[in-house]
Amino acid sequence: MARQVIAGEISGAFGVRGWLKIRSHTDPPDNILNYSPWLIGDGNTQKELKVISGRRHGNLVVARLEGVDTRDQALQLTSLRISVPRDQFAPPKPGEYYWADLIGLEVRTTCGVNLGKVTDMMETGANDVIEVRGERERLIPFVVGEFVKDVNLNEGVLIVDWDPDF
């Protein structure tokens, strides 16, 4: 099976005709509607559902899925994750990266000290931040050129200019 990326979560029902409120992890949020079918699940089981329709609604996205026709059916999907196969994404532009591709990379300093692996990414407004877990947790700004010196997806390594004691 192709690698899957969590693209969002279902946050509730929208109206009475089976529409869903979606918390999207795509940028912009309504890009999640470009991927279909969605794999809806809780990590243990998944169900493939085709996107019929959708649109941006404030900070959320609302969507209608095949086979979800009532509010009760929509409510049963609340809190489930939306995954899509990674191969549905367009290749990133040079110097750009999908967060999903950075998760799991080994993080080393420019001096060769292993800091751990990228376990998460977060958006802070000023810049994205890499969460690295090794012997302890570190938060490193994802600023290419200043702190991030090299991203090698083929080798699974991210090189940073970072003091290991910080």
Side-chain angles (χ1 to χ4, degrees):
M1 175 182 260
R3 190 175 81 141
Q4 297 175 20
V5 176
I6 297 171
E9 295 105 28
I10 298 171
S11 60
F14 180 78
V16 297
R17 296 195 173 144
W19 284 72
L20 300 161
K21 289 190 275 185
I22 307 298
R23 191 173 316 115
S24 174
H25 299 310
T26 63
D27 185 25
D30 52 348
N31 268 1
I32 195 170
L33 299 170
N34 295 333
Y35 308 109
S36 184
W38 289 350
L39 302 166
I40 309 291
D42 60 6
N44 297 321
T45 60
Q46 287 185 322
K47 182 177 186 179
E48 187 175 287
L49 295 171
K50 182 179 175 190
V51 178
I52 296 173
S53 181
R55 67 182 182 279
R56 182 101 179 247
H57 187 75
N59 292 334
L60 298 173
V61 172
V62 294
R64 178 96 192 283
L65 304 180
E66 189 173 74
V68 181
D69 302 312
T70 67
R71 182 174 181 81
D72 287 340
Q73 289 173 322
L75 287 172
Q76 289 176 357
L77 301 176
T78 299
S79 299
L80 295 180
R81 292 186 295 224
I82 301 165
S83 298
V84 297
R86 170 61 180 88
D87 59 12
Q88 283 192 21
F89 295 170
K93 295 174 185 161
E96 293 184 358
Y97 307 95
Y98 287 113
W99 283 11
D101 294 339
L102 299 175
I103 305 294
L105 293 183
E106 182 180 314
V107 180
R108 291 189 215 140
T109 68
T110 52
C111 297
V113 177
N114 188 327
L115 299 179
K117 291 188 181 277
V118 177
T119 56
D120 202 0
M121 298 284 298
M122 55 185 101
E123 190 174 1
T124 64
N127 50 263
D128 297 335
V129 173
I130 313 162
E131 180 180 299
V132 179
R133 290 190 189 237
E135 80 283 352
R136 65 185 177 90
E137 180 183 83
R138 290 179 176 85
L139 300 175
I140 302 172
F142 190 80
V143 180
V144 176
E146 186 173 350
F147 301 113
V148 176
K149 297 300 183 180
D150 187 38
V151 178
N152 190 322
L153 297 176
N154 293 329
E155 291 183 21
V157 176
L158 192 143
I159 304 296
V160 295
D161 185 3
W162 196 255
D163 183 346
D165 295 326
F166 189 67

